[in-house]
Amino acid sequence: MKGRYAAAAQPRRLATGSLLAVALFSMVLPAGAGKADRAEFDRLHAEAEQARKKADSIGGQWRDTAKFLKQAKAAADAGELDKAMKLARRAKDEGELGYRQASSQKGNVQIPSYLK
Amino acid sequence: MTGKILAGVLGAACFALAPAMLHADPQSDLEVYQRFFKEKYPDIPFTQFADGAYALNEQMRENWEAIEEFPPYGPFVDSGERLWAAPFANGKGYADCFPDGPAMQHKFPRWDKEQGQVVTLSLALNQCRETHGEKPMKYKGSPLVDLLSYIAYQSRGKKINVVVPKDDPRAMAAYQKGKDFYFTRRGQLNFSCAHCHFKNSGMSLRTDILSTAVGQTTGWPVYRSKWGTAGTLHRRYTGCNKQVRAKPFKRESEQYRNLEYFHTHMSNGLALNGPAARK
């Protein structure tokens, strides 16, 4: 009865995804060192917005990218430029990752071997 | 830097992978998918997969059966019955578009050769309205969900039988698109639907038990305690996309209709049992 759905090795697979997500998160964040100015932010924000759109054009946008862009803008408007830069950089990374993910899947979708 | 991260994420492939089949064969897909679950759960009668996660856990099943005794979707069915019978401004009604009556959920989703697209039940209801000069319903909440609930209730026991006609290559292309969508990795977690609902079905994810892909389309609309209301299959698709931190698609978008076409096809032979209650 129990063995029906309790295969010990499997939850880790789900956890792996989350861990990678966390790793990604923390690698992106610390990149905001140094003093930023508004012009620099505006440039980065525009690049990030472009990256987001590019990902979206092939169905690869991630869930929170647009939210980060909004939050970045709000932070910049409130004068919190370091925070704004971090958020915009994260959005840009997500846009690029989402685009690469979706283009790597296009025409190359893998069917798991156990479903052959 | 980002390249490395992505390589890492993609490299952490959860399963042994093999190249996609070039040409989908819906019939053999169906056999493979259903056999997979029959072999994974030899003690579960096939018809029980239509109960979603409750097929897989005795305790949850008992709680669920208690809830189903006083079904939370009852009011939606009642309201839907009134909506079905209410005439449009031109005096016509749904029965003029669907002369065989509301027990028709098993006819959807279907390939419409004239329109060259997958027509879902929701889309068909709105097309009926527009034919008769009525505004289409929003693909969220009432009145659509009420009507769907009534139709589902009337359709209980009918068997799912999605057809991919061989005489129209566009139908096969739509099926293939749905299949590609299903197996495409998405979002920050880089999961496809199959990661959670095939191999990991039966596993716990937070407080949930992951249901089997086969059987997931029988019970819609679903009253979810988490939503505090009844919702559509496409609302669930939205939720599952967001769960892997991917941006969801629009309800009734071409992507979700093709997905529904593929996803419902794999449950061919199971009886409809909607509306259903879920936690």
Side-chain angles (χ1 to χ4, degrees):
Chain A
M1 179 63 229
K2 215 172 154 204
R4 209 196 263 165
Y5 45 84
Q10 291 182 355
R12 240 183 287 138
R13 290 187 175 135
L14 296 178
T16 311
S18 314
L19 285 179
L20 285 164
V22 172
L24 171 61
F25 185 25
S26 51
M27 288 179 77
V28 171
L29 272 186
K35 281 261 178 307
D37 63 28
R38 180 69 198 219
E40 201 184 330
F41 168 78
D42 287 341
R43 206 162 42 240
L44 180 62
H45 190 275
E47 284 167 13
E49 175 59 15
Q50 214 175 3
R52 179 198 67 74
K53 275 199 188 136
K54 195 172 162 197
D56 199 31
S57 71
I58 55 167
Q61 187 178 328
W62 290 1
R63 186 188 64 190
D64 300 329
T65 315
K67 187 178 80 187
F68 295 145
L69 282 167
K70 259 197 208 130
Q71 289 172 345
K73 186 81 180 13
D77 289 345
E80 301 173 62
L81 273 179
D82 282 353
K83 182 179 168 193
M85 291 293 285
K86 278 179 199 166
L87 283 160
R89 212 167 270 125
R90 185 169 169 194
K92 188 180 169 195
D93 281 341
E94 282 204 2
E96 287 168 0
L97 287 166
Y99 178 78
R100 294 176 64 164
Q101 177 187 47
S103 40
S104 80
Q105 296 278 286
K106 274 260 145 72
N108 187 34
V109 174
Q110 307 288 303
I111 309 294
S113 58
Y114 60 83
L115 291 181
K116 304 237 81 179
Chain B
M1 176 185 94
T2 52
K4 259 195 214 140
I5 297 166
L6 183 69
V9 173
L10 293 175
C14 295
F15 311 120
L17 298 169
M21 279 179 282
L22 284 178
H23 300 290
D25 172 3
Q27 186 54 35
S28 72
D29 284 356
L30 179 72
E31 284 156 22
V32 168
Y33 302 154
Q34 297 195 350
R35 188 178 343 114
F36 175 81
F37 290 115
K38 285 174 184 166
E39 285 172 4
K40 186 168 164 75
Y41 304 103
D43 301 338
I44 297 181
F46 182 65
T47 53
Q48 210 165 298
F49 290 123
D51 297 335
Y54 307 122
L56 309 179
N57 181 293
E58 220 73 31
Q59 179 64 49
M60 280 172 64
R61 186 175 182 86
E62 277 171 26
N63 295 341
W64 172 65
E65 281 169 351
I67 290 171
E68 287 277 349
E69 278 179 36
F70 304 96
Y73 46 78
F76 294 86
V77 175
D78 295 343
S79 157
E81 181 170 12
R82 288 190 294 275
L83 288 165
W84 176 272
F88 300 144
N90 69 357
K92 304 279 188 190
Y94 291 109
D96 292 289
C97 303
F98 309 106
D100 297 337
M104 61 167 174
Q105 192 178 9
H106 58 296
K107 296 177 186 164
F108 298 90
R110 62 177 181 81
W111 177 254
D112 188 299
K113 202 169 176 175
E114 234 163 78
Q115 298 182 37
Q117 63 172 347
V118 172
V119 173
T120 60
L121 177 54
S122 299
L123 180 58
L125 288 168
N126 266 344
Q127 290 181 342
C128 171
R129 296 178 63 83
E130 291 186 272
T131 303
H132 291 292
E134 297 286 320
K135 275 209 303 201
M137 299 173 280
K138 286 220 171 75
Y139 288 118
K140 188 176 185 178
S142 296
L144 173 71
V145 172
D146 305 35
L147 267 168
L148 292 175
S149 299
Y150 172 62
I151 292 165
Y153 192 73
Q154 293 293 318
S155 307
R156 279 185 174 183
K158 305 264 189 210
K159 290 210 168 124
I160 293 185
N161 182 28
V162 174
V163 177
V164 184
K166 291 217 164 73
D167 64 348
D168 189 343
R170 295 171 306 167
M172 187 62 82
Y175 175 90
Q176 181 67 50
K177 279 186 192 162
K179 181 174 175 178
D180 283 349
F181 190 106
Y182 196 87
F183 291 104
T184 293
R185 291 166 169 275
R186 265 173 230 290
Q188 195 177 12
L189 299 196
N190 202 33
F191 281 175
S192 79
C193 310
H195 287 111
C196 284
H197 294 300
F198 271 93
K199 196 118 189 217
N200 285 308
S201 70
M203 303 301 310
S204 302
L205 183 62
R206 293 186 213 102
T207 61
D208 285 314
I209 287 188
L210 291 164
S211 54
T212 57
V214 168
Q216 277 185 332
T217 58
T218 59
W220 297 90
V222 151
Y223 183 96
R224 262 189 100 189
S225 317
K226 190 186 157 197
W227 294 337
T229 187
T232 62
L233 178 61
H234 289 203
R235 181 169 180 186
R236 182 77 236 197
Y237 288 165
T238 301
C240 279
N241 278 158
K242 284 193 201 156
Q243 229 171 152
V244 298
R245 302 190 198 145
K247 182 188 166 199
F249 294 82
K250 289 213 160 64
R251 292 150 203 232
E252 299 301 321
S253 58
E254 190 197 342
Q255 286 93 339
Y256 279 177
R257 280 183 290 112
N258 289 340
L259 173 63
E260 181 179 335
Y261 194 46
F262 167 77
H263 188 207
T264 309
H265 181 273
M266 70 168 85
S267 291
N268 272 1
L270 285 173
L272 291 168
N273 58 356
R278 294 285 186 268
K279 84 185 178 72

